[in-house]
Amino acid sequence: MQEGKVKFFNTEKGYGFITPSNSSQDIFVHANGLIDEIRENDMVQFDTEEGRKGLNAINVELIND
């Protein structure tokens, strides 16, 4: 699993972007790929899969400090 920070997430529209810790290339995240509810600036861990327009974050869950 990768780790990253939620850059943006719109709960009404159900999508956003995660900035991975090991890259500056943001990854798209959709509400269908969430395990936990997320908000901007949350630290998360996630898997990725190839979507129609690039990488999508899936199995997204919060990292407990």
Side-chain angles (χ1 to χ4, degrees):
M1 291 192 110
Q2 297 185 53
E3 293 185 359
K5 187 175 192 176
V6 179
K7 179 178 183 178
F8 165 81
F9 192 77
N10 184 320
T11 54
E12 291 180 17
K13 295 185 179 181
Y15 73 90
F17 294 92
I18 297 171
T19 302
S21 299
N22 62 355
S23 170
S24 61
Q25 183 70 35
D26 293 340
I27 297 176
F28 179 80
V29 58
H30 189 271
N32 292 343
L34 301 180
I35 294 174
D36 297 321
E37 290 185 21
I38 62 172
R39 293 178 296 187
E40 289 177 24
N41 297 317
D42 282 344
M43 293 301 295
V44 293
Q45 62 183 13
F46 58 94
D47 294 315
T48 58
E49 69 178 7
E50 191 66 34
R52 287 184 291 167
K53 297 181 180 180
L55 284 180
N56 292 341
I58 58 170
N59 303 324
V60 180
E61 56 187 343
L62 294 172
I63 297 175
N64 296 325
D65 290 336

